[in-house]
Amino acid sequence: MAHLMPSGSNHRLGNLDEKSKAIIVELQHDGRKSYSAIGKSVGLSEAAVRQRVSRLIESGVMEIVAVTDPLSLGFARQAMVGVKVRGDISKVADRLHGYDEIDYLVVTAGSFDLLVEIVCESDRHLIEFVNQELRSIDAVVDTELFMYLSLEKQKYNWGTR
Amino acid sequence: MAHLMPSGSNHRLGNLDEKSKAIIVELQHDGRKSYSAIGKSVGLSEAAVRQRVSRLIESGVMEIVAVTDPLSLGFARQAMVGVKVRGDISKVADRLHGYDEIDYLVVTAGSFDLLVEIVCESDRHLIEFVNQELRSIDAVVDTELFMYLSLEKQKYNWGTR
DNA sequence: AGTGAAACGACCGTAGA
DNA sequence: TCTACGGTCGTTTCACT
């Protein structure tokens, strides 16, 4: 995704006209909606819609994917961990990047240097992961765990309100 | 999404056979892949794949949607806010639910009662939102702000590793 | 960047095991 | 819950603007 693109790339709101935004909104509700149906509702031919969608995807503005629910798939425990780092934050971030248990990782300014979201099958797995993989890192000075009790809201349609 | 389903629902890993999991994995990479192409690679007819996908979506195991990049759309400022609440946490959560600026909202156990992710166009908008909409709530005792410096990892394919 | 048309392939409903 | 099949609709390619 574009989050990870070099910061020199400049795909901004200004590049997108009303039709592209309308296309995005339709696909945010149903990622498999046919191009011709979208074309009818936004006033473009099917080919034009397809071309725009390709460009939006290639430029990293959006992706069309299946988003799955961890609970339904047996991953019942989630937590956010605030991490305080000594030294190079990016180094720690890079090290954490590969873990399957981590599905969200942000460098922050504040009383934590990193926020790490963890998804696990069980409490046991979660605690083990935090102790053995996070807290055992030398550069990790401190961690604070926030167990998820209930996910109240989650949206993926940033930017188009 | 299924996160928001009544907690009595029990769609678990055990309900999904290898073929359904394989279908999910394909759609996690390309949400528009044709049912017949998926059928070829997992060993099912087009109709069977279609039926399974419908069931997976209807039961809340997944959804197929466009996921957009806030940066590309001009929403350059993100932050996580830890919120400490006095009294009924759900009441505060409900109140926050409708804000467009909030794209992620979790009730947590730990030194915060809520974690709130905020997406905004500018620092100014973000600060105003935190002060005027979050900190002004009576039941909100304390907040702590974590400004996002860089999003290192974000994945949506929970559960299928 | 866009349209339109023709060939092709995907999708949907239904029937049957 | 699967396969099979026919009608319909969507997608692809290409020539043109």
Side-chain angles (χ1 to χ4, degrees):
Chain A
M1 272 299 283
H3 301 295
L4 307 171
M5 294 195 308
S7 52
S9 55
N10 60 340
H11 304 283
R12 320 217 77 254
L13 197 58
N15 293 353
L16 298 178
D17 61 13
E18 290 307 317
K19 302 214 176 203
S20 285
K21 283 192 223 164
I23 292 170
I24 292 172
V25 171
E26 305 241 14
L27 290 172
Q28 281 170 339
H29 290 102
D30 176 6
R32 288 189 78 93
K33 186 159 186 178
S34 76
Y35 297 139
S36 48
I38 295 170
K40 274 169 204 156
S41 78
V42 307
L44 282 173
S45 70
E46 180 275 333
V49 173
R50 186 155 36 88
Q51 204 174 346
R52 281 170 181 254
V53 170
S54 301
R55 260 186 288 118
L56 289 169
I57 291 173
E58 278 158 27
S59 65
V61 173
M62 68 172 180
E63 53 186 355
I64 299 172
V65 291
V67 176
T68 51
D69 171 40
L71 271 174
S72 298
L73 295 168
F75 291 79
R77 288 293 171 270
Q78 277 183 276
M80 188 71 80
V81 184
V83 179
K84 192 74 200 162
V85 171
R86 173 181 51 207
D88 190 336
I89 299 170
S90 299
K91 233 169 167 172
V92 178
D94 288 347
R95 172 160 172 184
L96 295 179
H97 205 283
Y99 285 108
D100 284 332
E101 287 88 347
I102 295 175
D103 71 342
Y104 196 64
L105 178 58
V106 210
V107 178
T108 53
S111 67
F112 300 127
D113 299 306
L114 292 171
L115 285 175
V116 182
E117 190 180 72
I118 298 176
V119 183
C120 284
E121 295 89 338
S122 63
D123 287 326
R124 192 193 149 86
H125 183 181
L126 196 147
I127 303 297
E128 277 178 18
F129 181 77
V130 171
N131 283 328
Q132 292 170 22
E133 307 299 332
L134 288 183
R135 296 177 66 93
S136 68
I137 297 173
D138 273 351
V140 170
V141 175
D142 195 22
T143 66
E144 193 167 347
L145 183 69
F146 304 95
M147 268 313 235
Y148 283 18
L149 298 180
S150 77
L151 189 40
E152 300 286 330
K153 179 176 181 177
Q154 179 167 45
K155 71 172 184 187
Y156 310 100
N157 53 331
W158 301 289
T160 51
R161 297 176 169 159
Chain B
M1 272 299 286
H3 300 293
L4 308 171
M5 293 195 309
S7 53
S9 56
N10 60 340
H11 304 283
R12 321 217 77 253
L13 196 58
N15 293 352
L16 297 178
D17 62 13
E18 291 307 316
K19 302 214 176 206
S20 285
K21 284 192 223 164
I23 291 171
I24 292 172
V25 170
E26 305 241 13
L27 290 171
Q28 280 170 338
H29 290 103
D30 176 7
R32 288 189 78 95
K33 187 160 185 176
S34 76
Y35 297 140
S36 47
I38 296 169
K40 274 169 204 156
S41 78
V42 307
L44 283 172
S45 68
E46 178 273 334
V49 173
R50 189 161 27 100
Q51 207 173 346
R52 281 171 182 250
V53 170
S54 300
R55 260 185 291 117
L56 289 168
I57 291 172
E58 276 158 26
S59 66
V61 173
M62 69 173 180
E63 54 185 356
I64 299 172
V65 292
V67 175
T68 51
D69 171 41
L71 271 175
S72 298
L73 295 168
F75 291 79
R77 288 292 171 272
Q78 275 183 279
M80 188 72 80
V81 184
V83 178
K84 191 76 200 160
V85 170
R86 171 179 53 206
D88 191 338
I89 299 170
S90 300
K91 233 170 168 173
V92 178
D94 287 347
R95 173 160 171 184
L96 295 179
H97 204 285
Y99 286 108
D100 283 332
E101 287 88 348
I102 295 175
D103 72 341
Y104 197 64
L105 178 59
V106 210
V107 178
T108 53
S111 67
F112 300 127
D113 298 307
L114 292 171
L115 285 175
V116 182
E117 190 180 73
I118 298 176
V119 183
C120 285
E121 296 90 338
S122 63
D123 287 326
R124 192 194 150 87
H125 183 182
L126 197 147
I127 303 297
E128 276 178 17
F129 181 78
V130 171
N131 283 329
Q132 291 169 22
E133 308 299 332
L134 288 183
R135 297 176 67 93
S136 68
I137 297 172
D138 273 350
V140 170
V141 174
D142 194 21
T143 66
E144 193 168 347
L145 183 69
F146 305 94
M147 269 308 236
Y148 283 18
L149 297 181
S150 77
L151 190 40
E152 300 286 329
K153 179 176 182 178
Q154 178 166 47
K155 70 173 186 188
Y156 311 100
N157 53 333
W158 300 289
T160 50
R161 297 175 170 162

